[in-house]
Amino acid sequence: MSMARGFFVCPQTKNSSQLLLTSISEASRLTKFLNYPSSSSTTHLHFSLFTPSSSRFLCSRCSTHRQENVPIDMSAYSDTFAKRMAMAGLKPHHRIVLGVSGGPDSMALCVLTAAWKTNSLGIAAQKNEFIDGLLAVVVDHGLRAESKDEANLVHRRVTSMGIKCEIACCEWSEGKPKQGHLQEAAREKRYEILQSASIRHQIGVLMTAHHADDQAELFILRLSRNSGVLGLAGMAFVSQLFCTCPDLSAEASGEGILLVRPLLEFSKEDMYKICLGANQEWVEDPTNRSALFTRNRIRMTLTDLASPIFRSELQALIAACRRTRSHVDKMCSNLLHQAVTIMPEGYAVIDLGILRPSDLKDIVLSKFIALLLQFVSQRQRPVRGRASKLVLNYIRTSPCKTAVTASGCYLCPAPGSRGTQVLVCRSTDADLTLEFLNPYLTEGKNCSISNEVKQIVANGRSYSDQFPQSTLAMQFLDLTSSDSILAEAKREGILSESTYKSIISLQREESNNFVSKTNIVLENKVEHKVEYAASAPSKVLRPEKVGYFMNRFIVKWNLSKQNACTSFSTNNSNQFQDFREEWNFCNSCVVGYDRLASVRYMVDADWLYLATLSKREDSCSVHEELSLSVESRVMSNINLCSACTKKSAERALLLLKSIPVAARRALPVLVNVDGVLLSIPSVGFQHCPCLVASATYKPKIPLGGGYNSFL
């Protein structure tokens, strides 16, 4: 195993703060490479002498990337990195979480980020000091026997660089993923853990080490799936990740955190050179060499085609797609703010007169529709294929006269608009979800990072506004298939004939692999019939608990004796005593002795029930009007709170009349164990003055999907 000369610590036998040996000559050489400040303010980078037990660790400065006695000038890498950080809107004082695996990519990210911060802030290089505002998180997926030892090794290496580091272990509550979904499941779990760590430490920026070769792999992968120009743009340079649990505080704006990929202009070879230039060791994940995984197969094929011309032309094509993506994103953002109104009940109204769909290119209108439908439904699956075409044709047919359901949304003409406005409401066909929130863990926790994220986004927008749109981006707007994009790129001179043929060959090879896999899945697919229950499905929500309904409404309820007592004016103690006894009785007959309520969507029967309550004069008339025996028994037991219930129903009906019928059906309501309506919080209906319920519209993902940059 090749060892880093001059710097080393032995974390197994010594305290982590004890520097055992320092080479003055090596320190000066490393300072030159990393472009650090003078030695008086240099953060020492310590390298481990730990000899791992597994050969899986031995790819540290392996021979294929070893360049003995050949100095690597780090200044160009440092300058490019600093420029990318400025483009992202980041400044050295911003606090950052680094996702670190220990491979050459993430170790290079650690080297460059540490140098960028120390060069700018001049942090003193003293023992036991970590670089301010920098946290590395090593995720141990637990999928290999060696993963724990690897994570500990990486932790020591990163810590020795002056970067605070922690290890997070994956918990596979439903069992470890199967081979066919291993990489995808590991990736999802990794981002979940990294995001959680960022929020826990109140840090608004997460950085990963994706580079240009990763973009090339993704380009070929999506090309084989016949992606359009937006998909071929690849990974965003900057994007927003949003919390799985929303902040419950009123002042929270829900900015989430920023995911930044500052190495997208660097190649894989650059990663190795940066590590070598910094005398930094790395580990290699053996699963990255397995041909079982699609990305690995593409990676190995691209390595075989790794001529400088092929690489540069492929990256030029990806850059052209990214410029097109930036242009489309900007147009859609403007249209969403100008032509769409979001109502507090959770539905959207499109003004077709402002949108002018006939004047928009298909790529722009399709993206606009996808963003709006994803927002209303809060389902982040992309709107594609037939669903996209269906809604595209519907919007283009102006004025709209019919209704359509697609991608979890119900679209119909807005009442009184004569088809010039379209309602977009949440469809009630999907399975109900109710996530339980902990107010103590979520309330007010994200406010501090939200302000920082806002400022970083503003900095990034200001930087990107300096660059004019390319005319090539306008030409790519008319291209609807991957084949046409490649042909146009060749016609424009972006791709040479040889590169064009190589890409076509890769596309066909991966397309065939994808088709054969799909056929296997379809042959083994078992169809299940779906049977719908006669009653509307619901989710149980106990009092004082907070539920997040369909990723859209924060719902909570409780019983309040004080509210019941103050709902009626009493002039003597006897009346007050009678009311207290009646309150206890009402509690049992409406909510039930078990104090349980369930959340479901509003149904048409709820409207009829409100109408019945609003017309009642005494309990006998209700018995005659209501057909459900359970509801009849409930109404016969309510005495003192009857007037309150009637008034609440009357007010609720007035408010519901102002909400379109399609939108009403997506409102959350509370019912008791017998299915009797207790509350419609969005319009203030409470069946009993003891009941206090609320439903606050707070979607997880904002309109437009958050900030994205494809610079």
Side-chain angles (χ1 to χ4, degrees), residues 574-646:
N574 290 333
Q575 287 179 324
F576 181 73
Q577 181 64 33
D578 292 340
F579 178 71
R580 290 184 61 185
E581 294 174 359
E582 196 60 51
W583 177 84
N584 290 325
F585 184 76
C586 183
N587 174 23
S588 66
C589 71
V590 180
V591 180
Y593 287 107
D594 47 11
R595 298 183 69 205
L596 281 180
S598 295
V599 188
R600 63 163 169 79
Y601 282 129
M602 186 176 176
V603 294
D604 292 343
D606 296 330
W607 171 274
L608 298 175
Y609 186 50
L610 289 178
T612 300
L613 291 174
S614 67
K615 295 175 183 177
R616 63 169 302 200
E617 295 180 359
D618 52 45
S619 58
C620 294
S621 62
V622 173
H623 293 165
E624 296 171 359
E625 294 175 15
L626 292 178
S627 59
L628 294 177
S629 60
V630 172
E631 293 178 346
S632 298
R633 290 198 302 272
V634 169
M635 295 304 302
S636 65
N637 287 329
I638 298 176
N639 297 313
L640 189 58
C641 69
S642 299
C644 181
T645 305
K646 179 179 179 180

Side-chain angles (χ1 to χ4, degrees), residues 40-101:
S40 62
S41 62
T42 302
T43 297
H44 293 287
L45 302 184
H46 308 147
F47 299 93
S48 171
L49 280 181
F50 170 67
T51 303
S53 59
S54 171
S55 61
R56 297 178 189 275
F57 300 149
L58 295 181
C59 293
S60 302
R61 301 177 63 209
C62 54
S63 58
T64 54
H65 298 286
R66 188 168 180 149
Q67 300 182 18
E68 292 291 349
N69 302 319
V70 180
I72 299 173
D73 185 4
M74 299 288 286
S75 60
Y77 292 129
S78 297
D79 291 344
T80 301
F81 184 80
K83 178 184 176 183
R84 296 295 289 179
M85 296 295 273
M87 291 171 70
L90 288 169
K91 297 181 180 179
H93 70 271
H94 287 130
R95 303 173 68 214
I96 297 170
V97 168
L98 302 176
V100 179
S101 66

Side-chain angles (χ1 to χ4, degrees), residues 467-602:
F467 300 95
Q469 287 291 331
S470 168
T471 56
L472 186 60
M474 304 298 182
Q475 294 171 338
F476 270 52
L477 289 174
D478 295 317
L479 305 180
T480 58
S481 68
S482 56
D483 290 339
S484 62
I485 293 168
L486 294 177
E488 178 68 14
K490 186 177 75 167
R491 191 182 71 81
E492 289 289 333
I494 300 174
L495 299 180
S496 63
E497 183 67 28
S498 60
T499 301
Y500 172 78
K501 289 182 178 179
S502 296
I503 294 176
I504 289 291
S505 176
L506 282 170
Q507 178 193 23
R508 288 174 180 170
E509 181 180 348
E510 282 307 316
S511 294
N512 292 334
N513 289 329
F514 178 66
V515 169
S516 56
K517 270 189 180 181
T518 304
N519 290 337
I520 293 172
V521 172
L522 290 176
E523 287 173 5
N524 294 318
K525 184 177 179 181
V526 179
E527 293 188 3
H528 299 278
K529 293 183 179 180
V530 180
E531 296 183 0
Y532 295 94
S535 59
S538 60
K539 294 285 184 178
V540 174
L541 179 65
R542 295 184 179 276
E544 298 182 356
K545 297 295 182 181
V546 181
Y548 197 32
F549 185 64
M550 301 300 290
N551 292 331
R552 303 171 78 239
F553 289 93
I554 296 174
V555 182
K556 52 187 176 180
W557 73 278
N558 200 1
L559 291 172
S560 173
K561 190 171 185 177
Q562 181 180 4
N563 281 7
C565 294
T566 57
S567 297
F568 298 88
S569 60
T570 56
N571 298 321
N572 57 67
S573 59
N574 290 333
Q575 287 179 324
F576 181 73
Q577 181 64 33
D578 292 340
F579 178 71
R580 290 184 61 185
E581 294 174 359
E582 196 60 51
W583 177 84
N584 290 325
F585 184 76
C586 183
N587 174 23
S588 66
C589 71
V590 180
V591 180
Y593 287 107
D594 47 11
R595 298 183 69 205
L596 281 180
S598 295
V599 188
R600 63 163 169 79
Y601 282 129
M602 186 176 176

Side-chain angles (χ1 to χ4, degrees), residues 292-303:
L292 293 174
F293 302 110
T294 303
R295 285 178 177 271
N296 295 352
R297 194 167 55 247
I298 295 173
R299 184 182 308 124
M300 289 184 283
T301 305
L302 286 172
T303 301

Side-chain angles (χ1 to χ4, degrees), residues 379 405 408-410 426-432 530 532 537 550 601:
R379 290 163 51 181
T405 302
C409 292
Y410 178 81
R426 181 68 167 93
S427 171
T428 57
D429 294 336
D431 293 336
L432 295 185
V530 180
Y532 295 94
M550 301 300 290
Y601 282 129

